[in-house]
DNA sequence: ACAACGATACCCT
DNA sequence: GGGTATCGTTGTT
């Protein structure tokens, strides 16, 4: 697996649906305290808009909880739900409350560690959902507000070449978002077509 | 101080 | 596909 460059501030400083689409096929990597690598390929994301999106946590403006959505693009927004955690990355620009939810990852590195963290040996159930992947990677609200640009412990990297995506036939599908009751008609969920690692 | 509620997932069927 | 455990955030007393 050839990794490309770390994703830049500029990458995240775009509309959340653009970022969500382009994140498919990139790599999410967590380095443990002893330097081991956990993570894999991002195969499913959802965009949450700053305006006109009733499902977005930023819909009622800035609060203590969603502060990281309004931080610099590339900032991690981690929130708790149902006694679990979900991770997002802030997009566009500071003071604009938009983000991309990471929904599913294809496990590639640190299978042993992630299985232990998930208390789960079935690979298909390791990172197949936003809360699952956070548990597998050891991400919680202590990571909220982390600036991904320049963070040593948590890294997002591109594929080696943008052409590589085309050559390996990675195609991105799009549809309505999952697990919410409003704004489900908006085509803001993105996923790798044909992937067996999606949340649903 | 407290109760309701989720951008969930698990454990059944 | 349905019921429910579980807990931080939020809005209401």
């Amino acid at each position: 697996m050839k990794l490309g460059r770390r994703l830049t501030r500029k990458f995240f400083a775009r509309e959340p649906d653009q970022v969500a689409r382009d994140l498919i096929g990139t790599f999410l990597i967590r380095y443990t305290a002893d330097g081991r690598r956990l993570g894999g390929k991002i195969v499913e994301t959802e965009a949450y808009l700053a305006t006109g999106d009733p499902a977005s946590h930023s819909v009622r403006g800035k609060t203590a909880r969603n502060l990281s959505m309004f931080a610099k693009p590339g900032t991690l927004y981690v929130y708790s739900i149902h006694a679990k955690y979900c991770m997002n990355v802030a997009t566009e620009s500071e003071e604009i409350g938009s983000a991309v939810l990471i929904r599913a990852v294809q496990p590639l590195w640190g299978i042993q560690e992630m299985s232990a963290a998930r208390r789960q040996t079935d690979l298909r159930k390791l990172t197949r959902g936003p809360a699952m992947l956070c548990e597998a990677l050891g991400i919680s609200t202590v990571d909220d507000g982390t600036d991904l640009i320049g963070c040593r412990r948590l890294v997002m990297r591109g594929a080696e070449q943008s052409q590589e995506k085309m050559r390996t036939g990675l195609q991105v599908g799009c549809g309505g978002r999952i697990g919410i009751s409003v704004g489900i008609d908006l085509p803001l969920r993105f996923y790798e077509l044909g992937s067996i690692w999606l949340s649903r």
Side-chain angles (χ1 to χ4, degrees), chain A residues 45-95:
Chain A
T45 60
E46 280 179 358
Y48 286 86
L49 311 181
T51 56
D53 183 1
S56 177
H57 283 183
S58 63
V59 70
R60 292 193 174 275
K62 198 196 287 187
T63 66
R65 182 202 196 194
N66 66 20
L67 207 60
S68 299
M69 274 187 92
F70 294 82
K72 284 185 287 191
T75 301
L76 216 58
Y77 166 47
V78 183
Y79 67 90
S80 72
I81 184 170
H82 290 93
K84 300 172 175 73
Y85 305 106
C86 296
M87 66 169 285
N88 305 246
V89 186
T91 56
E92 294 186 88
S93 62
E94 206 159 2
E95 301 307 323

Side-chain angles (χ1 to χ4, degrees), chain A residues 3-193:
Chain A
L3 292 176
R5 293 177 56 81
R6 178 192 279 258
L7 301 183
T8 61
R9 180 89 61 208
K10 200 172 176 181
F11 177 91
F12 295 105
R14 296 178 295 148
E15 306 260 310
D17 51 332
Q18 289 274 326
V19 176
R21 168 175 284 273
D22 290 346
L23 275 176
I24 304 302
T26 68
F27 302 97
L28 173 62
I29 305 159
R30 171 74 147 185
Y31 290 100
T32 62
D34 58 338
R36 291 186 59 83
R37 177 190 280 171
L38 313 182
K41 180 170 71 171
I42 296 173
V43 295
E44 184 181 350
T45 60
E46 280 179 358
Y48 286 86
L49 311 181
T51 56
D53 183 1
S56 177
H57 283 183
S58 63
V59 70
R60 292 193 174 275
K62 198 196 287 187
T63 66
R65 182 202 196 194
N66 66 20
L67 207 60
S68 299
M69 274 187 92
F70 294 82
K72 284 185 287 191
T75 301
L76 216 58
Y77 166 47
V78 183
Y79 67 90
S80 72
I81 184 170
H82 290 93
K84 300 172 175 73
Y85 305 106
C86 296
M87 66 169 285
N88 305 246
V89 186
T91 56
E92 294 186 88
S93 62
E94 206 159 2
E95 301 307 323
I96 303 294
S98 65
V100 174
L101 171 72
I102 312 299
R103 281 199 64 91
V105 165
Q106 174 178 344
L108 292 174
W109 309 291
I111 306 286
Q112 299 270 28
E113 289 88 341
M114 293 196 291
S115 296
R118 289 272 301 119
R119 299 171 301 280
Q120 174 70 65
T121 52
D122 186 346
L123 284 188
R124 300 280 281 269
K125 298 177 182 172
L126 224 48
T127 52
R128 194 194 61 189
M132 288 189 193
L133 69 91
C134 280
E135 188 172 35
L137 296 180
I139 291 170
S140 71
T141 46
V142 302
D143 299 295
D144 181 53
T146 298
D147 187 356
L148 242 41
I149 316 303
C151 178
R152 298 175 69 113
R153 302 283 301 276
L154 204 50
V155 182
M156 283 190 184
R157 306 181 73 102
E160 189 181 33
Q161 303 272 356
S162 56
Q163 283 185 334
E164 181 78 7
K165 266 193 193 180
M166 306 294 288
R167 200 167 60 74
T168 54
L170 187 155
Q171 292 187 314
V172 180
C174 176
R177 292 171 297 182
I178 290 173
I180 53 176
S181 53
V182 288
I184 52 177
D185 49 319
L186 299 170
L188 295 176
R189 173 174 172 257
F190 299 91
Y191 50 93
E192 179 183 338
L193 280 173

